[in-house]
């Protein structure tokens, strides 16, 4: 981090600034120019409040030369992170496919879909019990009972399960859940993220509706700063001016994140497009550009689904996507050799 001081800074204020920075274990390298004095700060500058620094009377400007996230940063952790989940993993030489209904509707529904997606080769089962719906009048999920049904499907198929938490008060119900999903709308619920940082559970962190990659990685940092390094990122489309699709799938996030972070990244073409026929081409594209996996909504009767039927695949259509993904995988950008699916 570089601090550019105003001309002729007040000596007392400068001494206070130096003492404050040193108290945070920052080493200061001053250099005197003709017009300005510049302070080069070395150490863990992620603890420095850049806005506070900028607001000081004697400071002209502050520039970061390093990203504000440390745990998630590829620069401090070169190797790809592999997140173990039950009998499988996310990242490394496994391509993860998380499939299942948007929401759990009944035991029969979730068990039928779980069996079908397992047969097609899915590595994990998804299903929402607590649903973040735009309308308070829409189906809100079966909540605690939904989790019980999801665990039945886990018992039946042996597939690890992924489901969304919406509030900290629900955490005690998630003991047997393999991966806790933080939805797009909660990406910056910092209290929730902090608490999830104290669990040993893998966290699937979806990208917020209108968040930058840096904001997303700072949210991952919240979980990791609490000691939980098991974070999986999920790109699910962002808000743009386009209205033809539900969201705009930002696939350029995948190779860029591979550069910025060591965390695994999966892509959700269902929420990204909102249209079932678009899931296949975008799943193929996500696979090709180097994602570590996919999250896909599958329903046995999409027309009658209580949530997100328009973007849900039938089990047959899902099988077709899986066949194509397997064919693309050996040619995917930056994939380890002999990737397993
Ligand atoms: C979901 O996965 O069901 C969901 C609500 O996703 P998102 O948070 O990406 O909208
Ligand atoms: Mn959904």
């Amino acid at each position: 981090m570089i601090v550019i001081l105003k001309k002729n800074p007040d000596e007392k204020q400068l001494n206070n600034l130096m003492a404050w920075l040193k108290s945070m274990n920052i080493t200061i390298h001053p250099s005197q120019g003709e017009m300005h004095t510049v302070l080069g700060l070395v150490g863990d500058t992620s603890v420095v409040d850049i806005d506070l620094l900028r607001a000081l009377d004697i400071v002209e400007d502050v520039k970061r030369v390093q990203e504000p996230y440390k745990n998630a940063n590829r620069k401090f952790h070169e190797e790809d992170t592999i997140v173990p989940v039950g009998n499988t993993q996310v990242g490394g030489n496994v391509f993860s496919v998380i499939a299942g209904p948007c929401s759990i509707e009944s035991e029969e529904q979730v068990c039928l879909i779980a069996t079908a997606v397992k047969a097609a080769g899915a590595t994990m089962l998804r299903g929402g019990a607590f649903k973040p719906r735009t309308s308070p009048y829409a189906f809100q999920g079966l909540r605690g009972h939904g989790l019980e049904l999801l665990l039945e499907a886990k018992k039946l198929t042996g597939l690890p399960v992924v489901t969304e938490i919406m509030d900290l008060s629900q955490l005690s119900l998630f003991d047997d859940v393999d991966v806790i999903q933080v939805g797009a709308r909660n990406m910056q619920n910092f209290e929730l993220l902090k608490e999830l940082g104290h669990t040993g559970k893998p966290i699937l962190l979806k990208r917020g509706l209108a968040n930058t990659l840096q904001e997303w990685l700072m949210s991952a940092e919240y979980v990791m700063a609490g000691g939980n390094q098991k974070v999986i990122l999920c790109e699910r489309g962002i808000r743009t001016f386009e209205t033809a699709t539900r969201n705009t799938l930002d696939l350029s996030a995948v190779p860029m994140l591979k550069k910025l972070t060591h965390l695994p990244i999966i892509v959700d073409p269902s929420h990204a497009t909102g249209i079932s026929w678009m899931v296949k081409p975008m799943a193929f594209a996500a696979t090709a550009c180097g994602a570590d996996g996919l999250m896909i909504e599958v329903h046995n009767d999409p027309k009658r689904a209580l949530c997100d039927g328009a973007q849900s695949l039938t089990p047959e259509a899902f099988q077709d996507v899986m066949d194509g993904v397997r064919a693309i995988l050996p040619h995917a950008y930056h994939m380890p050799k002999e990737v397993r699916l």
Side-chain angles (χ1 to χ4, degrees):
M1 188 180 278
I2 292 165
V3 182
I4 304 150
L5 298 177
K6 284 186 182 151
K7 225 173 161 184
N8 305 320
D10 175 80
E11 206 177 314
K12 191 162 165 237
Q13 286 187 38
L14 182 57
N15 288 339
N16 285 344
L17 171 61
M18 303 274 242
W20 178 56
L21 291 169
K22 281 180 191 157
S23 75
M24 291 184 281
N25 289 326
I26 303 289
T27 311
I28 305 161
H29 297 276
S31 80
Q32 184 74 54
E34 232 170 77
M35 298 287 282
H36 291 285
T37 300
V38 169
L39 307 178
L41 309 189
V42 178
D44 181 7
T45 54
S46 62
V47 297
V48 180
D49 183 339
I50 192 165
D51 296 321
L52 190 60
L53 205 51
R54 224 175 243 137
L56 296 179
D57 277 348
I58 56 169
V59 171
E60 177 78 36
D61 201 4
V62 185
K63 294 198 190 313
R64 267 200 195 280
V65 288
Q66 213 158 55
E67 300 78 13
Y69 48 91
K70 194 161 180 272
N71 285 283
N73 200 327
R74 174 82 80 180
K75 281 187 191 139
F76 304 114
H77 189 294
E78 262 181 52
E79 293 295 301
D80 284 339
T81 283
I82 295 171
V83 178
V85 182
N87 53 7
T88 183
Q89 66 185 48
V90 181
N93 66 348
V94 170
F95 189 81
S96 306
V97 179
I98 305 169
C102 178
S103 35
I104 300 148
E105 298 171 11
S106 68
E107 181 169 351
E108 193 194 3
Q109 175 246 20
V110 69
C111 288
L112 201 129
I113 297 169
T115 309
V117 299
K118 185 184 178 179
T123 57
M124 280 184 250
L125 173 66
R126 65 150 285 147
F130 298 98
K131 294 304 304 174
R133 304 303 299 276
T134 303
S135 166
Y137 309 116
F139 176 58
Q140 303 286 306
L142 295 181
R143 307 178 70 81
H145 181 53
L147 286 185
E148 285 166 18
L149 301 182
L150 184 65
L151 295 175
E152 286 299 320
K154 171 179 170 174
K155 214 186 292 170
L156 177 74
T157 57
L159 288 176
V161 292
V162 183
T163 191
E164 177 168 355
I165 191 168
M166 282 177 59
D167 187 81
L168 270 179
S169 61
Q170 298 153 358
L171 188 57
S172 62
L173 300 172
F174 281 66
D175 282 353
D176 297 322
V177 167
D178 299 280
V179 178
I180 303 181
Q181 175 173 325
V182 175
R185 291 151 193 84
N186 262 320
M187 191 205 86
Q188 288 191 315
N189 181 340
F190 300 120
E191 289 302 315
L192 180 62
L193 298 175
K194 272 192 246 178
E195 206 52 48
L196 294 176
H198 298 129
T199 68
K201 295 266 187 201
I203 306 300
L204 182 89
L205 181 63
K206 288 192 141 193
R207 184 179 185 174
L209 304 175
N211 286 108
T212 64
L213 299 187
Q214 179 156 308
E215 286 164 344
W216 190 7
L217 290 172
M218 288 306 285
S219 290
E221 193 73 15
Y222 260 93
V223 177
M224 299 173 89
N228 185 357
Q229 308 300 302
K230 297 180 205 157
V231 179
I232 304 155
L233 301 169
C234 178
E235 163 64 41
R236 46 77 72 206
I238 48 171
R239 263 298 156 81
T240 67
F241 47 82
E242 185 53 71
T243 56
T245 46
R246 184 176 180 182
N247 291 290
T248 297
L249 179 52
D250 178 14
L251 279 184
S252 60
V254 176
M256 182 55 87
L257 282 170
K258 285 278 165 204
K259 225 184 175 43
L260 299 176
T261 181
H262 50 89
L263 297 173
I265 163 126
I266 69 164
V267 172
D268 171 353
S270 306
H271 291 90
T273 62
I275 307 167
S276 60
W277 66 265
M278 286 201 74
V279 171
K280 178 173 165 175
M282 298 324 286
F284 286 4
T287 307
C289 76
D292 292 292
L294 298 166
M295 174 179 260
I296 296 180
E297 286 188 343
V298 177
H299 198 282
N300 53 316
D301 190 359
K303 284 195 186 69
R304 290 196 182 78
L306 295 182
C307 184
D308 285 351
Q311 67 195 32
S312 298
L313 299 185
T314 60
E316 297 72 36
F318 175 66
Q319 174 74 65
D320 180 45
V321 171
M322 291 293 279
D323 293 343
V325 165
R326 281 200 188 87
I328 292 165
L329 264 179
H331 311 285
Y333 185 68
H334 264 185
M335 253 308 138
K337 295 257 175 300
E338 293 179 29
V339 62
R340 287 185 280 134
L341 168 59

